[in-house]
Amino acid sequence: MKFVDEFRDPTHAAALVREIGERVATLGRSPSRPLKIMEVCGGHTHSIFKYGIEQMLPPSIELVHGPGCPVCVLPVGRVDDAVKIAETPGVLFATYGDAIRVPGSRGSLLDAKAKGADVRTVYSPLDSLALARKNPDKRVVFFGLGFETTAPSTALTVLEAEASGVDNYFVFSNHITILPTIKAILDAPDLSIDGFIGPGHVTMVIGVAAYGFIADTYGKPFVIAGFEPLDVLQSLAMVVEQIARGEAKIENQYRRVVREGGNAVAQDAIERVFELRPHFEWRGLGTIEHSGLTFREPYARFDAEKAFAIRTVPVADPEQCQCGDVLKGVIKPWECKVFGTACTPAVPIGACMVSSEGACAAYYQYGRVSTSARAEARRELKVVR
Amino acid sequence: MCLGIPGQIVELVDETKKLALVSVGGVKRTVNVACIVDDAHPASGLVGTWVLVHVGFAMSRIDAAEAEKTLALLEELGEVQAELQAMADGERA
C-alpha cells in the first residue's frame, strides 16, 4: 500500500537500529539503568509490538508504554454509565468496536447486548448519525471516545446533526485531551522519563507548537512520530540523538502528515462544540484537571449526560487488575498477576487487555515478553545449571 | 479507532456536504473531507489526492514530497553506514 510499504523497509530499519545502538553506547547507560523513552500513544504501542521493535533495540533502552489508549483510560464508572444508557428502553447505543468488551462493574456493553440492549458497533460517528435518521422512534446515543484525533469527527457529526435537524441523536462524550495528560506524567513522582515519542495523529490536529512546555519547562526531548516501523525507529533515533547532544527540542518526524499548525478546521470544530470539564477521572492516573471534553451550552441538547441524567459514581478497578500501574509504566503487562491467565482479550478483566492499542492486549497478541524479563529468565537458568 | 489509514480520493460525492469516495487498499467508502478543504484547497480539486482517514473523516493530506524527504534521509543513513563499513573493512584489509 502506498505510504505504508516504503516505511516498512527492513534495510532502512537495520540502518536505524545500528544508528540508535551507536548513539546509546556513548551515553553510559546499562540494562539496569536504561534510557527510558515513553511512547505516549497507544497506536505506537501497537506498532512497537506488532513489528517487534523492542527486541531490535539495545538493552540499555527501555520503552515505557504511555496512557494514550482512550479505551484503556476510561474508568469503570464511565463504562457503567454507558451500560446504563444502553439498557434504557428505546435507546440504540452505537460504539466503536474497541469499547464493546470493556468490563464495567456490572458487565460490558457486549453483556448488555446479550441481555437484549440494542448495542451496535460502528466505524464512524457518521454511521451512528445514519442510524439516528433510520430509527426516528429511537434515541440514538454515540459513545464519544478518543483524544483530539477523533474529537473533531464527533464534533463535525454533531454539527451535521444540528444542521439537518436530527433530534433523536445524542453523544455520551468521554473525549479527552493530550496536553494535561502529558503534564500529569511529567509531574508524576514515580516516573522518570528521559524522552518522548509524541502522538502523530493527535498532533496532526492540534499542531506542533502546543508541546513547547515539554522542552522548555521540563527539558525533555519530544519527537512527533508516524506509525510505521521506520517512523518509530527514526523517531527513537532522533530522541537518542537529542539526549546525546544534551538538547531538548520538539521535533516532527511525521512531516508527511503533521503540519506545524495542525488542522484548523478540526480545531474549530472541537472549539465550537466542546469545552473543557473542570476535571475528568482517568483509570490509573486519577483525576486530571481540564482533561475531558463536554458540550458547550448551545449544543447541550446533544449531551447524553443531560438527556439521561448521568451522575458518574467513581468505581474502583477490580482488585486483581493492575491496569493503572501498566498505564503509568510502573509495571510491565506480564508482571500483572492475572496477565494471560485470568485476564485475556477474550475474557478481559481490565481495559488494557481489550483495545488493540492497550499494552496488555499488544503483549498478549504478539506473544512478547520484554527483553528485561528474558534476561531475568536467562539468569535464573544459569543458577539452575 | 485511533489508527489512521492512507487512501486515495477517487470521486467527489457531494460538494456541499463535503463527502468524497475514498479508495483504501481497493475498498471504497464515502468519507467526510471537511477537514482537508479550505480556500486554497477547494473540494473540486480533490480527486487523486492521498489522505489519511480516521473514523470516516479525511484528517490530513499526505504530502508526497515530505514522504520522499523522510525516505531520502533513511536512504542516506544506509549509504553513510555502508561507506563507513567499507572504510573499516579497508583498514583491516
Side-chain angles (χ1 to χ4, degrees), chain A residues 270-286:
Chain A
I270 297 178
E271 185 60 30
R272 218 171 127 188
V273 174
F274 294 119
E275 63 185 13
L276 290 170
R277 298 172 193 266
H279 42 75
F280 195 65
E281 192 200 340
W282 293 57
R283 191 186 291 243
L285 298 174

Side-chain angles (χ1 to χ4, degrees), chain A residues 2 26 64 98 136 209 234 291 298 311 321-322 341 351 382:
Chain A
K2 196 171 176 192
T26 65
V64 181
D98 299 44
Q234 189 180 31
S291 65
R311 298 269 173 278
C321 173
Q322 292 178 278
T341 52
K382 270 183 200 156

Side-chain angles (χ1 to χ4, degrees), chain A residues 69-285:
Chain A
C69 162
V71 173
C72 306
V73 296
L74 196 65
V76 176
R78 298 293 282 184
V79 180
D80 288 351
D81 294 339
V83 169
K84 183 184 156 196
I85 295 171
E87 286 176 341
T88 308
V91 163
L92 189 165
F93 195 89
T95 176
Y96 291 124
D98 299 44
I100 202 162
R101 284 175 188 273
V102 179
S105 62
R106 299 184 302 111
S108 65
L109 284 165
L110 193 62
D111 296 326
K113 184 181 169 82
K115 286 185 223 144
D118 193 353
V119 177
R120 313 272 183 102
T121 303
V122 291
Y123 159 71
S124 165
L126 291 171
D127 299 340
S128 66
L129 183 58
L131 283 170
R133 289 195 176 107
K134 247 184 267 166
N135 297 276
D137 54 326
K138 289 206 164 186
R139 289 195 286 175
V140 173
V141 182
F142 175 65
F143 200 4
L145 290 167
F147 286 92
E148 286 92 336
T149 318
T150 52
S153 309
T154 305
L156 286 165
T157 304
V158 166
L159 290 170
E160 164 71 18
E162 189 199 34
S164 51
V166 181
D167 58 8
N168 61 329
Y169 185 69
F170 305 87
V171 173
F172 180 40
S173 172
N174 289 275
H175 283 295
I176 42 183
T177 58
I178 200 79
L179 297 177
T181 318
I182 295 176
K183 199 172 171 303
I185 293 165
L186 286 162
D187 287 333
D190 49 354
L191 269 183
S192 53
I193 305 295
D194 296 296
F196 291 89
I197 299 291
H201 291 149
V202 167
T203 316
M204 161 187 82
V205 172
I206 70 172
V208 176
Y211 299 107
F213 71 98
I214 300 168
D216 300 342
T217 311
Y218 291 91
K220 304 288 182 192
F222 190 93
V223 177
I224 294 138
F227 293 85
E228 295 305 329
L230 292 186
D231 291 320
V232 176
L233 283 171
Q234 189 180 31
S235 303
L236 281 168
M238 290 162 80
V239 171
V240 173
E241 174 81 19
Q242 282 196 42
I243 294 170
R245 292 183 179 204
E247 293 175 342
K249 293 187 292 192
I250 311 302
E251 288 186 290
N252 180 8
Q253 181 275 338
Y254 199 26
R255 287 175 180 276
R256 66 186 184 279
V257 164
V258 174
R259 316 280 176 266
E260 202 65 22
N263 187 308
V265 180
Q267 290 167 11
D268 287 349
I270 297 178
E271 185 60 30
R272 218 171 127 188
V273 174
F274 294 119
E275 63 185 13
L276 290 170
R277 298 172 193 266
H279 42 75
F280 195 65
E281 192 200 340
W282 293 57
R283 191 186 291 243
L285 298 174

Side-chain angles (χ1 to χ4, degrees), chain A residues 15 18 124 256-257 259 263, chain B residues 35 55 60-61 63 81 85:
Chain A
R18 203 170 147 178
S124 165
R256 66 186 184 279
V257 164
R259 316 280 176 266
N263 187 308
Chain B
C35 290
V55 298
S60 182
R61 292 158 185 274
D63 188 326
Q81 283 184 357
Q85 188 62 48

